[in-house]
Amino acid sequence: MVTSGKKLTFGAKCGYGCAAVGDAVAYTFINTFILFFLTTVAGLQPAVAGTITALGSIWDALINPVIGYLSDHSNSSMGRRRVYMLGFCLPLLASMILLYTTVEFTYSIRILYYGFMVIAYWTSFTGFFVPFYALGAEYTQDYEERTGLRSFASFFNTIGTCFSMAMPTIIVEFLESLGMTTSAAWSVTAGILGVITVTSIILTVVFSASYDRRGERLSSKTERLSLIGMFREYIQLLKLRPLVWLLLTSLFFLVAYAMFIADFVYFLTYNLGFDGGKISAVMLLRCLVCMVSIPLIDVLCRKTDKRSAMMIIMAATGACCIGLRFITIDSLPALIIYVCVVGVIGSAYWQVIPAMFYDVCEYDEYETGQRREGAIVSVQGLVEAAATGIGAQILGGILQFAGFDGSGDVQGELALEWIYNCTTWVPVIFMAASLFALYKFPITKKKFNELKRKLEERKNEDKRNEE
């Protein structure tokens, strides 16, 4: 097992980060295109397709704690994380292909089919993602090295996001030009992206073999697992004050970010009148900003600490968004500033906050004597699913109130005004709540190192007592 003071090599960080490509490809492909596919290719009504999509988010929230609990209490020669990552690879590939496959059933059976496939997809994705996320906490227990590890993961994640946002429609159009039907082209595209996803996961499973050693500390006897035990464990975790404040930080931030991202498409389409090509170019710019900002965020974290760095970026984002509400984003320079601001804050969240969840693992060990990386990161996944739904629900309610007409090419003044508000100052309300929760998060760099020192002293004392 990697010790707390050992620096991770470039190869080790790349080996861990590889699977972040698969994470981004699978996650972005589903969230960006599944509604479009179900309504325009599979022939489902928009309300039905929306319900199926929402079902997936609900199931994702429910399955996260289960996977986290199982991966914490597993015992295999591959360790307790990689066995799940490898085991869910093929189901993830199969569910991606089958979810983007048209079927010649009755309408009611088609609804059941896609509902089942959405559940199969999220089960497989979460089965890989939670152990992968938790594995990062076992690579190193060094405060700064964890930020560096997440920086590599963020870099690979951005590559996967760029690919899965830009390439699917291009691949579909290319296959159609070869004479393939639209439905078949989407199935093949899903297969191509699925293979990329699985390959990246397998690479991490292979390269991380020497780092996933926590399973060796478990008893060779299989642990007894129970639903009551799982609930008891999560209740214990929710008594950890740092975890509660960090969950609130994530919840409020992700509600704000969900509004930023979802409303931005409306803003570009109706307020600025952009066509599909221009919207794609703006989205690509946002991905490039995310990639460029990764090393800068890492430097800021090392100069201060993770909490301070995130607070600085969040405060700057809020100030810029409020300022842009009065300046108006109707020029290219203003639009570029906005894209950069939202790109940086998104990159910062996925780079910094996961590393902070890793730090809670040491706090849990100090308070309870247990290391439950899987359970801790799984509750963040639960919050992510819930926050995305809350953000979309709030945005939908505001647009409905403002009289937005989805069938119209032009919107009324009130609708345009509130689309603009939801692009700028409305999400800042939730960002401010997130900033306050982050301020209350007690684990700074100084306190983490003190915590590590106390843990080491306790372990040495236990060792001497045993001798």
Side-chain angles (χ1 to χ4, degrees):
M1 184 65 186
V2 177
T3 62
S4 59
K6 184 177 179 180
K7 300 297 182 182
L8 295 175
T9 64
F10 178 84
K13 293 177 181 178
C14 285
Y16 174 78
C18 282
V21 173
D23 161 27
V25 168
Y27 185 86
T28 306
F29 181 51
I30 295 299
N31 281 289
T32 304
F33 294 103
I34 188 58
L35 198 62
F36 176 82
F37 173 82
L38 292 176
T39 54
T40 64
V41 182
L44 299 185
Q45 296 177 357
V48 173
T51 300
I52 290 174
T53 305
L55 174 67
S57 295
I58 294 170
W59 180 255
D60 183 32
L62 294 175
I63 199 67
N64 260 279
V66 177
I67 297 297
Y69 177 76
L70 290 175
S71 72
D72 277 342
H73 295 272
S74 295
N75 187 17
S76 77
S77 58
M78 293 180 64
R80 57 180 182 171
R81 312 295 179 196
R82 296 185 304 122
V83 64
Y84 285 95
M85 294 172 62
L86 187 62
F88 279 101
C89 270
L90 292 182
L92 181 57
L93 171 60
S95 63
M96 288 179 68
I97 295 172
L98 294 174
L99 185 55
Y100 281 88
T101 297
T102 56
V103 290
E104 300 298 327
F105 299 145
T106 64
Y107 190 75
S108 298
I109 299 299
R110 271 187 287 158
I111 293 174
L112 294 175
Y113 172 84
Y114 289 113
F116 176 81
M117 287 306 160
V118 161
I119 289 176
Y121 164 78
W122 282 112
T123 301
S124 303
F125 177 84
T126 305
F128 133 72
F129 176 72
V130 170
F132 165 63
Y133 188 176
L135 181 61
E138 301 182 350
Y139 254 63
T140 177
Q141 294 175 19
D142 182 87
Y143 185 85
E144 292 185 346
E145 281 296 284
R146 282 177 169 172
T147 307
L149 184 67
R150 287 305 309 175
S151 297
F152 273 73
S154 295
F155 176 79
F156 282 103
N157 190 279
T158 303
I159 293 175
T161 299
C162 291
F163 187 86
S164 55
M165 288 182 70
M167 293 306 296
T169 53
I170 295 175
I171 297 173
V172 168
E173 290 179 359
F174 173 73
L175 293 175
E176 288 176 333
S177 70
L178 297 179
M180 192 174 290
T181 65
T182 299
S183 59
W186 275 101
S187 296
V188 173
T189 300
I192 292 172
L193 296 181
V195 169
I196 293 172
T197 297
V198 168
T199 301
S200 72
I201 295 171
I202 291 175
L203 287 174
T204 291
V205 169
V206 172
F207 290 132
S208 65
S210 61
Y211 291 91
D212 188 16
R213 300 285 182 81
R214 298 295 303 185
E216 294 178 359
R217 295 191 180 185
L218 300 176
S219 169
S220 59
K221 183 179 180 180
T222 302
E223 292 191 34
R224 182 180 178 183
L225 305 178
S226 70
L227 188 62
I228 295 176
M230 183 183 74
F231 279 113
R232 185 183 297 117
E233 185 163 292
Y234 280 96
I235 290 173
Q236 291 174 355
L237 287 176
L238 292 177
K239 293 179 181 179
L240 300 176
R241 190 165 66 94
L243 181 60
V244 171
W245 284 117
L246 198 53
L247 288 174
L248 289 173
T249 299
S250 290
L251 176 65
F252 290 124
F253 177 90
L254 291 171
V255 169
Y257 194 67
M259 294 183 69
F260 275 132
I261 298 303
D263 188 71
F264 194 45
V265 177
Y266 290 98
F267 177 76
L268 293 175
T269 302
Y270 297 104
N271 292 59
L272 297 186
F274 281 14
D275 58 20
K278 288 183 178 179
I279 292 175
S280 296
V282 172
M283 294 302 184
L284 181 59
L285 173 62
R286 187 176 69 84
C287 291
L288 294 176
V289 169
C290 290
M291 189 175 296
V292 171
S293 66
I294 290 171
L296 302 178
I297 295 168
D298 184 62
V299 170
L300 181 60
C301 289
R302 292 176 185 275
K303 292 292 184 181
T304 56
D305 63 15
K306 284 174 278 198
R307 188 186 73 163
S308 300
M310 194 66 192
M311 289 178 65
I312 291 170
I313 296 171
M314 288 172 66
T317 298
C320 286
C321 288
I322 292 174
L324 287 169
R325 175 60 184 88
F326 298 101
I327 296 173
T328 70
I329 312 173
D330 56 3
S331 65
L332 183 60
L335 179 61
I336 291 176
I337 291 173
Y338 180 82
V339 170
C340 289
V341 167
V342 176
V344 169
I345 191 63
S347 178
Y349 176 86
W350 294 112
Q351 185 174 346
V352 177
I353 297 298
M356 295 177 73
F357 273 100
Y358 291 165
D359 296 338
V360 175
C361 298
E362 270 66 43
Y363 184 89
D364 181 31
E365 183 179 12
Y366 179 76
E367 291 292 325
T368 68
Q370 302 180 71
R371 289 193 63 89
R372 296 175 285 195
E373 293 92 341
I376 287 172
V377 303
S378 70
V379 290
Q380 194 275 337
L382 186 155
V383 165
E384 177 189 344
T388 302
I390 293 170
Q393 204 65 24
I394 293 173
L395 177 60
I398 291 175
L399 293 179
Q400 173 116 10
F401 160 79
F404 176 81
D405 180 10
S407 62
D409 294 330
V410 180
Q411 302 298 326
E413 287 298 322
L414 184 61
L416 293 176
E417 179 182 354
W418 278 100
I419 288 173
Y420 193 31
N421 289 339
C422 290
T423 301
T424 52
W425 68 265
V426 174
V428 173
I429 297 173
F430 297 95
M431 191 78 74
S434 178
L435 183 59
F436 174 77
L438 184 57
Y439 171 75
K440 299 293 289 183
F441 178 72
I443 303 179
T444 61
K445 180 178 180 179
K446 180 180 179 181
K447 291 183 178 179
F448 179 85
N449 289 332
E450 182 180 346
L451 182 66
K452 285 298 302 300
R453 179 182 58 79
K454 290 180 179 178
L455 275 172
E456 193 65 30
E457 289 176 354
R458 179 189 294 176
K459 291 176 182 177
N460 291 334
E461 183 178 349
D462 290 343
K463 187 177 180 180
R464 286 194 297 269
N465 292 335
E466 289 177 359
E467 294 174 350

